[in-house]
Amino acid sequence: MRTRLSTEQRREQLLAIGVERFAKLGYDEVLVEEVAQLAGVSRGLMYHYFPTKRDFFLEVVRTERDRLLRASEPDTALPILDQLNTGLDVYLDFARTNPDAYRVVHRAANAADEEIRQIREVGLATNRDRILAALAAVLPIDDTVRLAVRGWLNFVMAIVLDWLDNPTVSQADLRALCSRTLFAAVNVNPSDVQ
Amino acid sequence: MRTRLSTEQRREQLLAIGVERFAKLGYDEVLVEEVAQLAGVSRGLMYHYFPTKRDFFLEVVRTERDRLLRASEPDTALPILDQLNTGLDVYLDFARTNPDAYRVVHRAANAADEEIRQIREVGLATNRDRILAALAAVLPIDDTVRLAVRGWLNFVMAIVLDWLDNPTVSQADLRALCSRTLFAAVNVNPSDVQ
């Protein structure tokens, strides 16, 4: 019993199955045949959408990175502290409700691969530029600030991955932790930028 | 012209060449034959010390991790702020003077491999336990503190890798950045623990 889906719907369905499989299993353990079967399509159709398993995997990671970036787009009309806290809440909401997607994009094992690392780097660079643009309103951006923001993005990535596996800390506490750590890293007193 | 070395010296020589090669080239590009040649030994002798290229690589990473851990062992007799600042200085000195070693242990690409990731995890866990032991003197250790320290170790790792490639920030500024970020992450005012 095949379901009739449009090309775009079918593609999205295959990518959604992919993110779940790649998050649960390592790259080598994921079978393209199994993904096709779960979607109720033939192997041939699967290969029509994604010629190789590698193409499929790269597209899964790229799609999930873009979803996360779209979801956490900042409202630049807000004051910086509100921008950061609202952005963090959306980011943590996304990770909590899409743990598979978050893991596929961020976990260390997937940095094996140069192309995957580049996909992730684009995400990190976008977030870095957003944060530097917001900070530019309250402090001069120098190399130390750039380094601090880059380090902080890795800080967030590591604790969110940990938090998804062991959600013993509340999202509010996690947000507060991330927020105060960024301000300290860039050497700004949050009460000065209210 | 072969140099006569003891078994231990030969092993150290091979590992020293290995760290330089693996830092400069990817795993696949390093040739065991070339390492043997650079050391002035036969391929057979090389394989006597390290039966496979993978054994060799794992041993290089493990050795460099242990050197870094030994170098940055804290002086637990000092007050916590001095322990942290002295530990950070030694750590940054090590990274600056042994950039190849630092990159081989920490760079993302090498996390490809489950065994490499475990070698790195042991290093991270040792550092985390050292920091938590020092912090326990000044604050209760809960899950948020544990998460903060874990995140901070990734923060340091990311900025040190970046700093080795672009050393535009002074070591003193980097140390100050790392130090104030840790105190903020664990929510302690450094002047309260002087």
Side-chain angles (χ1 to χ4, degrees):
Chain A
M1 280 219 319
R2 296 211 182 159
T3 318
R4 278 245 165 255
L5 297 178
S6 72
T7 304
E8 195 41 45
Q9 285 172 325
R10 181 64 78 195
R11 198 182 137 79
E12 280 171 18
Q13 179 210 22
L14 292 169
L15 290 169
I17 295 170
V19 69
E20 186 266 331
R21 302 310 287 164
F22 284 117
K24 292 232 168 15
L25 306 169
Y27 179 81
D28 291 338
E29 284 82 50
V30 172
L31 301 178
V32 170
E33 292 73 12
E34 207 179 355
V35 173
Q37 207 177 4
L38 287 165
V41 303
S42 68
R43 242 171 91 161
L45 190 64
M46 176 81 199
Y47 285 118
H48 170 74
Y49 284 93
F50 308 102
T52 68
K53 176 171 159 181
R54 188 171 163 72
D55 293 327
F56 181 50
F57 181 54
L58 291 175
E59 202 47 37
V60 163
V61 178
R62 217 176 277 122
T63 303
E64 296 306 323
R65 178 205 64 192
D66 288 343
R67 278 180 63 213
L68 177 54
L69 284 177
R70 266 199 310 278
S72 57
E73 198 154 5
D75 180 351
T76 53
L78 294 174
I80 174 167
L81 197 61
D82 296 335
Q83 263 189 63
L84 177 69
N85 283 332
T86 310
L88 274 169
D89 258 338
V90 174
Y91 187 91
L92 297 175
D93 279 339
F94 181 94
R96 190 171 41 77
T97 51
N98 302 271
D100 288 345
Y102 196 87
R103 288 190 184 103
V104 160
V105 180
H106 297 97
R107 76 175 161 204
N110 291 344
D113 182 301
E114 186 53 37
E115 267 181 286
I116 295 293
R117 210 157 53 250
Q118 275 170 18
I119 294 175
R120 184 189 296 174
E121 281 301 314
V122 170
L124 281 171
T126 304
N127 280 323
R128 192 197 55 215
D129 291 347
R130 285 172 175 178
I131 291 167
L132 290 175
L135 287 172
V138 297
L139 84 165
I141 306 299
D142 61 17
D143 285 343
T144 309
V145 171
R146 273 184 213 102
L147 210 53
V149 171
R150 194 182 157 75
W152 181 77
L153 289 168
N154 280 274
F155 171 91
V156 172
M157 201 165 82
I159 66 178
V160 171
L161 283 172
D162 216 45
W163 181 60
L164 293 178
D165 291 339
N166 306 292
T168 53
V169 171
S170 74
Q171 186 172 326
D173 284 351
L174 202 69
R175 190 190 80 165
L177 165 60
C178 293
S179 178
R180 68 174 177 258
T181 302
L182 177 61
F183 281 104
V186 299
N187 225 352
V188 164
N189 187 335
S191 56
D192 292 346
V193 295
Q194 281 283 33
Chain B
M1 279 219 320
R2 298 213 182 159
T3 317
R4 277 245 165 256
L5 297 178
S6 72
T7 304
E8 195 42 45
Q9 286 171 326
R10 181 64 79 195
R11 196 182 139 80
E12 280 172 19
Q13 179 209 22
L14 292 170
L15 289 169
I17 295 171
V19 69
E20 187 265 331
R21 302 310 287 162
F22 284 117
K24 293 233 169 11
L25 307 170
Y27 178 83
D28 290 338
E29 285 81 49
V30 173
L31 300 177
V32 171
E33 292 73 12
E34 207 178 355
V35 173
Q37 208 178 3
L38 286 165
V41 303
S42 69
R43 242 172 90 162
L45 190 63
M46 176 81 198
Y47 285 119
H48 169 74
Y49 283 93
F50 307 102
T52 67
K53 176 171 160 183
R54 188 171 164 70
D55 292 328
F56 182 51
F57 181 53
L58 292 175
E59 202 48 37
V60 164
V61 178
R62 216 176 277 123
T63 303
E64 296 307 322
R65 176 204 65 192
D66 289 343
R67 278 179 63 214
L68 177 54
L69 284 176
R70 266 198 312 278
S72 58
E73 198 153 6
D75 180 352
T76 53
L78 294 174
I80 174 166
L81 197 60
D82 297 334
Q83 263 188 65
L84 177 68
N85 284 331
T86 310
L88 275 169
D89 258 339
V90 175
Y91 187 92
L92 297 176
D93 279 340
F94 181 94
R96 190 171 40 78
T97 53
N98 301 271
D100 287 345
Y102 195 87
R103 289 191 184 103
V104 160
V105 180
H106 296 97
R107 74 175 162 205
N110 291 343
D113 181 300
E114 186 55 34
E115 267 181 286
I116 295 293
R117 210 154 56 248
Q118 274 170 19
I119 294 175
R120 185 189 295 173
E121 281 300 315
V122 170
L124 281 171
T126 303
N127 280 323
R128 190 197 55 213
D129 292 347
R130 285 172 175 178
I131 292 167
L132 290 175
L135 287 172
V138 297
L139 85 165
I141 306 299
D142 60 16
D143 286 343
T144 308
V145 171
R146 274 185 212 101
L147 210 52
V149 171
R150 195 183 158 74
W152 180 78
L153 289 167
N154 280 274
F155 171 91
V156 172
M157 202 165 80
I159 66 178
V160 171
L161 283 171
D162 215 43
W163 181 61
L164 293 178
D165 291 339
N166 306 291
T168 54
V169 170
S170 75
Q171 185 172 326
D173 284 351
L174 202 69
R175 191 191 79 166
L177 165 60
C178 293
S179 178
R180 68 173 177 258
T181 302
L182 177 61
F183 281 105
V186 300
N187 225 352
V188 164
N189 188 336
S191 56
D192 292 346
V193 295
Q194 281 283 32

